[in-house]
Amino acid sequence: MQNKGLIKFFAILFALVSIYQLSFTYLASNVKSEAKAFAGDNPDKELKYLDSIGKVEVLNLGFTSFTYDEVKNKQINKGLDLEGGINVILQISIKDVLKGLANNSKNPVFNKSLADATANLEGNKSYLDKFFEAFDANSNGTTKLASPEIFANRNLQGEGGIAFEMTDAQAQKIIRKKVDESIESAYKVLRERIDKFGVTQPNIQKLGATGRILVELPGAKDVDRIKKLLGGKAQLEFWETYKIEEIGNFLVSANEALKKTEIKKTETKTVAKDSLNALLTDTKDSTEAKKGNNPLFDKIVMQGGGPILGYFAPKDTATINSYLKRPEIRVLLGADQHYAKFVWSKPTTISGATAKDPKAKDLEVVELYALKGNRDNIPAMNGGLVTDAKDTFDQMGKPAVSMQMNSQGAKVWEELTGRAYNQKSYIAIVLDNIVYSAPGVTSGPIAGGRSEITGSFDVAETKDLANVLNAGKLPASADIIQSTVVGPSLGQAAIDAGTISSVLGFLLVCLWMVFYYGKAGWYANLALLLNLLFLFGIMASFGFVLTLPGIAGIVLTLGTAVDANIIIFERAKEELRDGKSLAEAVAASYGWHGAMRSIIDANVTHVLTGAILFIFGTGPIKGFALTLLIGIITSMFTSIFIARIFIDRNIAGKGDLTFSTNITKNWFTNFHFDFIKIKKFTYIFSSIVVVVSLISIFFVNGLDQGVDFVGGRTFQVKFEKPVDATVVSDELSAAFGTPVEAKILGDDDQLKITTKYKIQEDGVAVDEEVNQKLYKALAKYYPNTTYEKFTNTYDGKTVGVLQASKVGASISEDIKTNSYWAVLGAMAAIFLYLMISFRKWQYSLGAIAAVAHDVIFVLGIYSLCYKFMPFHMEMDQHFIAAILTVIGYSMNDTVIVFDRIREFIIGNRKGSFEDIVNASINTTLSRTLNTSLMMIIVLLTMFIFGGESIRGFIFAMLVGIIVGTYSSLFIATPVLVDTISKDDKHTIEDKHNKA
């Protein structure tokens, strides 16, 4: 081997760099252990401890030193499935951005195009593209994007803006640029909010040009608070309000009108005696109010006053909203109230105790307000004039938020408060369409632009509110379309399972290599150790994230890392049997016409499938693909160069190297099985399997499509004792009013709960509603657990929601589309590569036939078995990752056989074309079975010890590797034989037999 010294130099340098980089991970782990020991079971105390030593020096190398924060930033980042925390994908509303750019245009073509783009949005299609398509269709050349009433408005005119004379194509370029700027603005706002929240090692990134932003918050525990922080638009507004006496007559008229249309379903009860009830008694006999015959007033649970029209139960807000939006009800508003805007406060808890019933439960209520709206729906003052906000405490010692406005804001605020003082009215402070408070003004106009927001806040809420006000408002609404919440205890369990499976897999591979290849196996194992060091070193150096599927990728790398050595060792054994010396055999096996061509072809197919998986995958699947790709590169280097150094050193020294043991030296030698002869039987068997699989997939069982493909919410819930999944499913279905699936996950006290309840709706309120419904429906199983403890994550959590995920309808369609393209793209890429490499399409056809057979086989097994298997067999992103991995490994086996066929065709082997093909399969059988056995060993290890969450993923690969080995022997090569033309066969045979 040439340049051996250079290779040694780079190997040693690479090893030292890897050890250096990994030392930060080791040190950070030690510091965290010290913090945990110091804090006991108090996570807040632990976090404060780590924050306090952030700038403290924890590593001194003499020539340089590092603080804890610097060490922490250099460690291997763990994904949420290992660390615990919250992962969300936010969709910035492009529709809102367009409406803002068009200055809320009333143009019918513009608004119809927005509606059509929303209705016709397809998987993997951007909203902006669909809008432009819809606008072209709706305008039909009659209206231009650059129309003054659409995008050529005052806001978008000027340099870099849209001029009246522009064509639609020209306007589209500028609109795209402006939309991109809005997404960038949203990204910066979210980044600032997250930075101020104080989460360790947050990750936020834009996902291409989709308007989607990925946010990962390792260690975050307060689920509802985080979602509010991320999803809140921070649209701060100040509105003048109507007083109850000003709007009361309308409410009375509305209640009377509703009596004629609403069916009386409510029980008889007494309406709260508030000012509205007083108005009622003025107009009609008050006894009627006690008959449960007042659709609007019967919903009131407590009297209002001032700007508060009444207190209502949160569950009734949707009903009240539907009443107040009806045209026949709105028309009852007075002429000066025509644009009144009805909004709610944030929920608050009031005491239900009375003199008659002192033990009554507390009530959760929301307040109803009527804001003084206008034709343009513009508030009296907006939050853009606020320059600074701080969390503080009011005069009563309650949490509040103080605000400072700019000069323009100070002037408007003085006018607004002066009007409120003179009219004895109120000013509602509204954030994201929710009233936080509506104070009156008792001491005259407020000058200077400083004010305070008070209300029923806790300290965390005032911190978050000040945070979002300072960070600024989002340019458009940001809906959470996908989310995953993982508890830290679940993450630790995943780490333990991954560590056990990795160590066991490594030991089993090492033992087999020594058992089968003797001393050469020891050298392969040393190269394997270096391979793992390099792999982790690269991940630490570039800040890559380690996930649970990533650990699976590492374990798979253990199997593939020895694959190149197996190919080389098998080739060396052949060369030795042909009479060559040890040095000559090694040199030949490492040559291009020895093992190198096969190794390159096999690994290129791996790289192609891994790259496609990385491009189309998201989250943990990207981590799996990345680990696989790094593993391929490092294993190639260590197998080809590092192992060769050890081998060459042995040859130069003792020269006692062996590539087998006394037990295995004659295995698979002189093997002459006629694989082509039995092709009719294998064709029949495979055809039956394919037909049965397709019938099951399309006509009988179908596939168990997970939420990744159909949308929905999934909760992994741990109970205090074993439960009946069927009973829990029925209880939850009744509570949600829609089918809810509950399946046992591992033990009988743990369920995987899936629901599609309101999955078409986005927003923090919907997510919280689902969490509340889940808790209330299951509360009887948790007598000592509060909603917060049930829903949120914390260290040491053993019951309640351990993991939760949501996939919105829009992103599930994208995931499904990406999955189809990933599988088809992998097959197409491999087809083209093999056609270029082997220069005959028949090789590509044989390989693709085998791959198609394998994919259908695995799909068929999942379709036939998912209803009764003791583990989950869902179609999700993990399953697609498994399918692509199967494609790569199936190609690996097939390519080795094809390379040997090509070698024999170029050489002088005698016999018919079928004889040459049979000889190719038989002479590579040891390599094929050895590699497959390695993969089966590590996959079985992961299946048994790797944890419940990836068991279905591993099972797919396990089945795929087994059937892939079969198809490379009994499908790919027979198809090649049957599709090669008779003329080509005769040419090959004539050449060989003459020779």
Coordinates of all heavy atoms in Angstrom, one line a residue, residues 255-319:
N255 N -81.2 37.8 23.0 CA -81.7 36.6 23.7 C -83.2 36.3 23.3 O -83.6 35.2 23.1 CB -81.7 36.9 25.2 CG -82.1 35.7 26.1 OD1 -81.5 34.7 26.1 ND2 -83.3 35.9 26.7
E256 N -84.0 37.4 23.1 CA -85.4 37.2 22.6 C -85.4 36.5 21.2 O -86.2 35.6 21.0 CB -86.1 38.5 22.6 CG -86.4 39.1 24.0 CD -87.2 38.1 24.9 OE1 -88.2 37.6 24.4 OE2 -86.8 37.9 26.0
A257 N -84.5 37.0 20.3 CA -84.5 36.5 19.0 C -84.1 35.0 19.0 O -84.6 34.2 18.2 CB -83.6 37.3 18.1
L258 N -83.1 34.7 19.8 CA -82.6 33.3 19.9 C -83.7 32.3 20.4 O -83.6 31.1 20.1 CB -81.4 33.3 20.7 CG -80.1 33.9 20.1 CD1 -79.0 34.1 21.2 CD2 -79.6 33.1 19.0
K259 N -84.6 32.8 21.2 CA -85.7 32.0 21.7 C -86.5 31.3 20.6 O -87.0 30.2 20.7 CB -86.6 32.7 22.6 CG -86.0 33.1 24.0 CD -87.1 33.9 24.8 CE -86.5 34.3 26.1 NZ -87.5 35.1 26.9
K260 N -86.5 32.0 19.5 CA -87.4 31.6 18.4 C -86.7 30.5 17.6 O -87.3 29.7 16.8 CB -87.7 32.7 17.5 CG -88.5 33.8 18.2 CD -88.7 35.0 17.3 CE -89.4 36.2 18.0 NZ -89.5 37.4 17.2
T261 N -85.3 30.4 17.7 CA -84.6 29.5 16.8 C -83.9 28.3 17.5 O -83.7 27.3 17.0 CB -83.5 30.2 16.0 OG1 -82.6 30.8 16.9 CG2 -84.1 31.3 15.1
E262 N -83.7 28.5 18.8 CA -82.9 27.5 19.6 C -83.9 26.5 20.3 O -84.8 27.0 20.9 CB -82.0 28.2 20.7 CG -80.9 29.1 20.1 CD -80.1 28.3 19.1 OE1 -79.4 27.3 19.5 OE2 -80.1 28.7 17.9
I263 N -83.6 25.3 20.1 CA -84.3 24.2 20.8 C -83.9 24.2 22.3 O -82.7 24.2 22.6 CB -84.1 22.8 20.2 CG1 -84.5 22.9 18.7 CG2 -84.8 21.7 21.0 CD1 -84.2 21.6 18.0
K264 N -84.8 24.1 23.2 CA -84.5 24.2 24.6 C -84.0 22.9 25.1 O -84.7 22.0 25.5 CB -85.7 24.7 25.4 CG -86.3 26.0 24.8 CD -87.7 26.2 25.3 CE -88.4 27.3 24.5 NZ -88.5 27.1 23.1
K265 N -82.7 22.7 25.2 CA -82.0 21.5 25.6 C -81.5 21.6 27.0 O -81.2 20.6 27.6 CB -80.9 21.1 24.7 CG -81.3 20.9 23.3 CD -80.1 20.5 22.4 CE -80.5 20.2 21.0 NZ -79.3 19.9 20.1
T266 N -81.4 22.8 27.6 CA -80.8 23.0 28.9 C -81.7 22.6 30.0 O -83.0 22.7 29.8 CB -80.3 24.4 29.0 OG1 -81.4 25.3 28.9 CG2 -79.2 24.7 28.0
E267 N -81.2 22.3 31.2 CA -82.0 22.0 32.3 C -82.5 23.3 32.9 O -81.9 24.4 32.7 CB -81.1 21.3 33.4 CG -80.7 19.9 32.9 CD -79.8 19.3 34.0 OE1 -79.6 19.8 35.1 OE2 -79.3 18.2 33.7
T268 N -83.6 23.3 33.7 CA -84.1 24.5 34.3 C -83.1 24.9 35.4 O -82.6 24.2 36.2 CB -85.5 24.2 35.0 OG1 -86.3 23.7 34.0 CG2 -86.0 25.4 35.7
K269 N -82.7 26.2 35.3 CA -81.8 26.7 36.3 C -82.1 28.2 36.4 O -82.7 28.9 35.6 CB -80.4 26.5 35.9 CG -80.0 27.1 34.6 CD -78.5 26.7 34.3 CE -78.1 27.3 33.0 NZ -76.7 27.0 32.6
T270 N -81.5 28.8 37.5 CA -81.7 30.2 37.7 C -80.6 31.0 37.1 O -79.4 30.7 37.3 CB -81.8 30.5 39.3 OG1 -82.8 29.7 39.8 CG2 -82.0 32.0 39.5
V271 N -80.9 32.1 36.4 CA -79.9 32.9 35.8 C -79.2 33.7 36.9 O -79.8 34.2 37.8 CB -80.5 33.8 34.7 CG1 -79.5 34.7 34.1 CG2 -81.2 33.0 33.7
A272 N -77.9 34.0 36.7 CA -77.2 34.8 37.7 C -77.9 36.2 37.8 O -78.3 36.8 36.7 CB -75.7 35.0 37.3
K273 N -78.0 36.7 39.0 CA -78.7 38.0 39.2 C -77.6 39.1 38.9 O -77.0 39.6 39.9 CB -79.2 38.1 40.6 CG -80.4 37.1 40.8 CD -81.0 37.3 42.2 CE -82.2 36.4 42.3 NZ -82.9 36.6 43.6
D274 N -77.5 39.5 37.7 CA -76.6 40.6 37.4 C -77.4 41.7 36.7 O -78.6 41.7 36.7 CB -75.5 40.1 36.5 CG -76.0 39.5 35.1 OD1 -77.3 39.6 35.0 OD2 -75.2 39.1 34.3
S275 N -76.7 42.6 36.2 CA -77.4 43.8 35.6 C -78.2 43.4 34.4 O -79.1 44.1 34.0 CB -76.3 44.9 35.3 OG -75.3 44.3 34.6
L276 N -77.7 42.4 33.7 CA -78.5 41.9 32.5 C -79.9 41.3 33.0 O -80.9 41.5 32.4 CB -77.8 40.8 31.8 CG -76.6 41.3 31.0 CD1 -75.9 40.1 30.3 CD2 -77.0 42.3 29.9
N277 N -79.8 40.7 34.1 CA -81.1 40.1 34.7 C -82.0 41.3 35.0 O -83.3 41.2 34.9 CB -80.8 39.2 35.9 CG -82.0 38.4 36.3 OD1 -82.8 38.0 35.4 ND2 -82.0 38.1 37.6
A278 N -81.4 42.3 35.5 CA -82.3 43.5 35.9 C -82.9 44.1 34.6 O -84.1 44.5 34.6 CB -81.4 44.6 36.5
L279 N -82.2 44.1 33.5 CA -82.7 44.6 32.2 C -83.8 43.7 31.8 O -84.9 44.1 31.3 CB -81.6 44.6 31.2 CG -80.6 45.8 31.3 CD1 -79.5 45.6 30.3 CD2 -81.3 47.1 31.0
L280 N -83.6 42.4 32.0 CA -84.7 41.4 31.7 C -86.0 41.7 32.4 O -87.1 41.7 31.8 CB -84.2 40.0 32.0 CG -83.8 39.1 30.8 CD1 -83.2 37.8 31.4 CD2 -85.0 38.8 29.9
T281 N -85.9 41.9 33.7 CA -87.1 42.1 34.5 C -87.8 43.4 34.1 O -89.0 43.6 34.3 CB -86.8 42.2 36.0 OG1 -85.8 43.2 36.2 CG2 -86.2 40.8 36.4
D282 N -87.1 44.3 33.5 CA -87.7 45.6 33.1 C -88.6 45.3 31.8 O -89.5 46.1 31.6 CB -86.6 46.6 32.7 CG -86.0 47.2 34.0 OD1 -86.6 47.0 35.1 OD2 -84.9 47.7 33.9
T283 N -88.2 44.4 31.0 CA -88.9 44.2 29.8 C -89.9 43.0 29.7 O -90.8 43.0 29.0 CB -87.9 43.9 28.7 OG1 -87.1 42.8 29.0 CG2 -87.0 45.1 28.5
K284 N -89.7 42.0 30.6 CA -90.6 40.9 30.6 C -90.6 40.3 32.1 O -89.9 40.7 32.9 CB -90.1 39.8 29.7 CG -90.4 40.0 28.2 CD -90.2 38.8 27.4 CE -91.4 37.9 27.5 NZ -91.9 37.6 26.2
D285 N -91.6 39.5 32.3 CA -91.7 38.9 33.6 C -90.5 38.1 33.9 O -90.0 37.2 33.2 CB -92.9 37.9 33.6 CG -93.2 37.3 34.9 OD1 -92.5 37.7 35.9 OD2 -94.1 36.5 35.0
S286 N -89.9 38.4 35.1 CA -88.6 37.7 35.4 C -88.7 36.3 35.7 O -87.8 35.5 35.7 CB -88.0 38.4 36.6 OG -88.8 38.3 37.8
T287 N -90.0 35.8 35.9 CA -90.1 34.3 36.2 C -89.7 33.5 35.0 O -89.3 32.4 35.1 CB -91.6 34.0 36.5 OG1 -92.4 34.4 35.4 CG2 -92.0 34.7 37.8
E288 N -89.8 34.1 33.8 CA -89.5 33.4 32.6 C -88.0 33.1 32.5 O -87.5 32.2 31.9 CB -89.9 34.2 31.3 CG -89.9 33.4 30.1 CD -90.5 34.1 28.9 OE1 -91.5 34.8 29.1 OE2 -90.0 34.1 27.8
A289 N -87.2 33.9 33.2 CA -85.8 33.7 33.3 C -85.4 32.5 34.1 O -84.3 32.0 34.0 CB -85.1 35.0 33.9
K290 N -86.3 32.0 34.9 CA -86.0 30.9 35.7 C -86.5 29.6 35.1 O -86.4 28.5 35.7 CB -86.7 31.0 37.1 CG -86.3 32.2 37.8 CD -87.0 32.4 39.2 CE -86.5 33.6 39.9 NZ -87.2 33.7 41.3
K291 N -86.9 29.6 33.8 CA -87.4 28.4 33.2 C -86.4 27.8 32.2 O -86.7 26.8 31.5 CB -88.7 28.7 32.4 CG -89.8 29.2 33.3 CD -91.0 29.5 32.5 CE -92.2 30.0 33.4 NZ -93.4 30.4 32.6
G292 N -85.2 28.3 32.2 CA -84.2 27.7 31.3 C -84.5 28.0 29.9 O -84.2 27.2 29.0
N293 N -85.2 29.2 29.6 CA -85.7 29.5 28.3 C -85.0 30.7 27.7 O -85.6 31.4 26.9 CB -87.2 29.7 28.3 CG -87.8 29.7 26.9 OD1 -87.3 29.1 26.0 ND2 -88.9 30.5 26.8
N294 N -83.7 30.9 28.1 CA -83.0 32.0 27.7 C -81.7 31.5 27.1 O -80.7 31.4 27.8 CB -82.7 33.0 28.8 CG -84.0 33.6 29.3 OD1 -84.6 34.5 28.7 ND2 -84.5 33.1 30.5
P295 N -81.6 31.3 25.8 CA -80.4 30.7 25.1 C -79.1 31.4 25.5 O -78.1 30.8 25.7 CB -80.7 30.8 23.6 CG -82.2 30.8 23.6 CD -82.7 31.6 24.8
L296 N -79.2 32.8 25.5 CA -78.0 33.6 25.8 C -77.7 33.7 27.3 O -76.7 33.4 27.8 CB -78.1 34.9 25.2 CG -76.9 35.9 25.2 CD1 -75.7 35.2 24.6 CD2 -77.2 37.2 24.6
F297 N -78.7 34.2 28.1 CA -78.6 34.5 29.5 C -78.4 33.2 30.3 O -77.8 33.3 31.4 CB -79.7 35.3 30.0 CG -79.8 36.7 29.3 CD1 -81.0 37.3 29.2 CD2 -78.7 37.3 28.9 CE1 -81.1 38.6 28.6 CE2 -78.7 38.5 28.3 CZ -79.9 39.2 28.1
D298 N -78.9 32.1 29.9 CA -78.7 30.9 30.7 C -77.3 30.4 30.8 O -76.9 29.6 31.6 CB -79.6 29.7 30.1 CG -81.0 29.9 30.4 OD1 -81.4 30.7 31.3 OD2 -81.9 29.1 29.8
K299 N -76.5 30.9 29.9 CA -75.0 30.6 29.9 C -74.2 31.4 30.9 O -73.1 31.1 31.2 CB -74.4 30.8 28.5 CG -75.1 30.0 27.4 CD -74.9 28.5 27.5 CE -75.4 27.8 26.3 NZ -75.3 26.3 26.5
I300 N -74.8 32.5 31.4 CA -74.1 33.3 32.3 C -74.0 32.6 33.7 O -74.9 32.1 34.2 CB -74.8 34.7 32.5 CG1 -74.8 35.4 31.2 CG2 -74.1 35.5 33.6 CD1 -75.6 36.7 31.2
V301 N -72.7 32.6 34.2 CA -72.5 31.9 35.5 C -72.3 32.9 36.6 O -72.3 32.5 37.8 CB -71.4 30.9 35.4 CG1 -71.7 29.8 34.4 CG2 -70.1 31.6 35.1
M302 N -72.0 34.2 36.3 CA -71.8 35.2 37.3 C -72.0 36.6 36.8 O -71.8 36.8 35.6 CB -70.3 35.0 37.9 CG -70.0 35.9 39.0 SD -68.3 35.6 39.6 CE -68.1 37.0 40.7
Q303 N -72.4 37.5 37.6 CA -72.7 38.8 37.1 C -71.5 39.6 36.6 O -70.4 39.3 37.1 CB -73.4 39.6 38.3 CG -72.4 40.0 39.4 CD -73.1 40.8 40.5 OE1 -74.3 41.0 40.5 NE2 -72.3 41.4 41.3
G304 N -71.8 40.5 35.7 CA -70.7 41.3 35.2 C -70.8 42.7 35.7 O -71.4 42.9 36.8
G305 N -70.2 43.7 35.1 CA -70.3 45.0 35.5 C -69.2 45.8 34.8 O -68.2 45.3 34.4
G306 N -69.5 47.1 34.6 CA -68.5 48.0 33.9 C -68.4 47.5 32.5 O -69.4 47.4 31.8
P307 N -67.2 47.1 32.0 CA -67.0 46.7 30.7 C -67.3 45.2 30.5 O -67.3 44.7 29.4 CB -65.5 47.0 30.4 CG -64.9 46.8 31.7 CD -65.9 47.3 32.7
I308 N -67.4 44.5 31.6 CA -67.7 43.0 31.6 C -69.1 42.7 31.4 O -70.0 43.1 32.3 CB -67.1 42.3 32.9 CG1 -65.6 42.7 33.0 CG2 -67.3 40.8 32.8 CD1 -65.1 42.2 34.4
L309 N -69.5 42.1 30.3 CA -70.9 41.8 30.0 C -71.4 40.6 30.8 O -72.6 40.4 30.9 CB -71.1 41.5 28.5 CG -70.6 42.6 27.6 CD1 -70.9 42.3 26.1 CD2 -71.1 44.0 28.0
G310 N -70.5 39.8 31.3 CA -70.9 38.6 32.1 C -69.7 37.6 32.1 O -68.8 37.7 31.3
Y311 N -69.8 36.7 33.0 CA -68.8 35.6 33.1 C -69.5 34.3 32.6 O -70.6 34.0 33.0 CB -68.4 35.4 34.6 CG -67.7 36.6 35.2 CD1 -68.3 37.7 35.7 CD2 -66.3 36.6 35.2 CE1 -67.7 38.7 36.3 CE2 -65.6 37.6 35.8 CZ -66.3 38.7 36.3 OH -65.6 39.8 36.8
F312 N -68.7 33.6 31.8 CA -69.2 32.4 31.1 C -68.2 31.2 31.3 O -67.0 31.4 31.6 CB -69.4 32.6 29.6 CG -70.4 33.6 29.3 CD1 -70.1 35.0 29.4 CD2 -71.7 33.2 28.9 CE1 -71.1 35.9 29.0 CE2 -72.6 34.2 28.5 CZ -72.3 35.6 28.6
A313 N -68.7 30.0 31.2 CA -67.8 28.8 31.3 C -67.1 28.8 29.9 O -67.6 29.0 28.9 CB -68.7 27.6 31.5
P314 N -65.8 28.4 30.0 CA -65.0 28.3 28.7 C -65.6 27.4 27.7 O -65.5 27.7 26.5 CB -63.6 27.8 29.2 CG -63.5 28.2 30.6 CD -64.9 28.2 31.2
K315 N -66.3 26.4 28.1 CA -66.9 25.4 27.1 C -68.0 26.0 26.4 O -68.4 25.5 25.3 CB -67.4 24.2 27.9 CG -68.5 24.4 28.8 CD -68.9 23.1 29.5 CE -70.1 23.3 30.5 NZ -71.3 23.8 29.9
D316 N -68.6 27.2 26.9 CA -69.7 27.8 26.2 C -69.3 28.9 25.2 O -70.2 29.5 24.5 CB -70.7 28.4 27.2 CG -71.4 27.3 28.0 OD1 -71.6 26.2 27.4 OD2 -71.7 27.5 29.2
T317 N -68.0 29.2 25.1 CA -67.6 30.4 24.3 C -67.9 30.1 22.8 O -68.3 31.1 22.1 CB -66.1 30.6 24.5 OG1 -65.4 29.4 24.2 CG2 -65.8 31.1 25.9
A318 N -67.7 28.9 22.4 CA -68.0 28.6 20.9 C -69.5 28.8 20.6 O -69.8 29.4 19.6 CB -67.6 27.2 20.6
T319 N -70.3 28.4 21.5 CA -71.8 28.6 21.3 C -72.2 30.1 21.3 O -72.9 30.6 20.4 CB -72.6 27.9 22.4 OG1 -72.2 26.5 22.4 CG2 -74.1 28.0 22.2

